[in-house]
Amino acid sequence: EADIYQTPRYLVIGTGKKITLECSQTMGHDKMYWYQQDPGMELHLIHYSYGVNSTEKGDLSSESTVSRIRTEHFPLTLESARPSHTSQYLCASSLGGGGTTGELFFGEGSRLTVL
Amino acid sequence: SQQGEEDPQALSIQEGENATMNCSYKTSINNLQWYRQNSGRGLVHLILIRSNEREKHSGRLRVTLDTSKKSSSLLITASRAADTASYFCATDTSGSRLTFGEGTQLTVNP
């Protein structure tokens, strides 16, 4: 079982609220990722990080922001949630180096519903 | 458009049968990986095959890679009801992240 944790698992909030999805890993991985996935659909990369103080936007444009102040922590924030943000958000991590992307370890996901 | 496309989108078989899922991609890769996702859960890594490898085995799983055709297949032998899940291929083209396919929903009937 992967040592990567996401909270909350489920969140229902009203439009306009600010939310932060937490992601922590205890494996000392340098690389961390946020993917967005609608039910039964493919995963879309929205943010990733190579290490502390490094963040990059992914392939899918997102209004969310991320920070990487500590190696083990990669929170995702939505300043003003909208119904279009309703989705599942998956956090993952992997070892860095070697010029390739190795195995990703995923958390259980945070399912966000914005009313 | 997505790098990986999977075929079929859905597959329903009986326990004990083999299940084959295919993945095609567009650009050259460093490696290709297969993941499994149970409903409502995170993804679990199954197997990684490098661009210079042609076949890899892990238990009941067999993965092939044909870089000339830009395609890969995942074979699950002697399937079980517990194998029911979505299976995704993912490609590493940049060395920095993975791009996932659309997935195949496998149902194994007892």
Side-chain angles (χ1 to χ4, degrees), chain A residues 9 31 33 35 37 41-45 48 50 57 59 88 90 99-104 106-108 111, chain B residues 2 4 30-31 33 35 37 40-45 48 88 92 94-103:
Chain A
R9 286 275 283 129
K31 292 181 178 179
Y33 312 82
Y35 285 87
Q37 182 187 33
M41 303 294 285
E42 63 208 294
L43 284 74
H44 295 282
L45 181 69
Y48 63 102
Y50 290 118
K57 289 195 178 293
D59 303 317
Q88 169 147 275
L90 292 162
T100 63
T101 305
E103 173 186 354
L104 263 58
F106 280 85
E108 292 289 349
R111 183 167 294 282
Chain B
Q2 283 294 308
N30 295 317
N31 65 62
Q33 304 179 30
Y35 289 79
Q37 183 181 35
R41 307 292 294 275
L43 280 72
V44 175
H45 181 263
L48 180 155
F88 293 87
D92 173 21
S94 63
S96 62
R97 73 271 199 110
L98 295 182
T99 300
F100 284 80
E102 297 173 344

Side-chain angles (χ1 to χ4, degrees), chain A residues 28-88:
Chain A
H29 287 169
D30 287 326
K31 292 181 178 179
M32 295 190 74
Y33 312 82
W34 277 103
Y35 285 87
Q36 184 174 341
Q37 182 187 33
D38 291 328
M41 303 294 285
E42 63 208 294
L43 284 74
H44 295 282
L45 181 69
I46 52 176
H47 298 283
Y48 63 102
S49 167
Y50 290 118
V52 171
N53 294 326
S54 151
T55 60
E56 302 286 342
K57 289 195 178 293
D59 303 317
L60 181 69
S61 176
S62 174
E63 293 166 347
S64 58
T65 59
V66 292
S67 61
R68 190 88 184 274
I69 298 171
R70 302 198 320 262
T71 296
E72 62 271 21
H73 198 212
F74 192 40
L76 180 147
T77 298
L78 273 166
E79 290 293 334
S80 180
R82 294 204 302 270
S84 60
H85 296 137
T86 294
S87 190
Q88 169 147 275

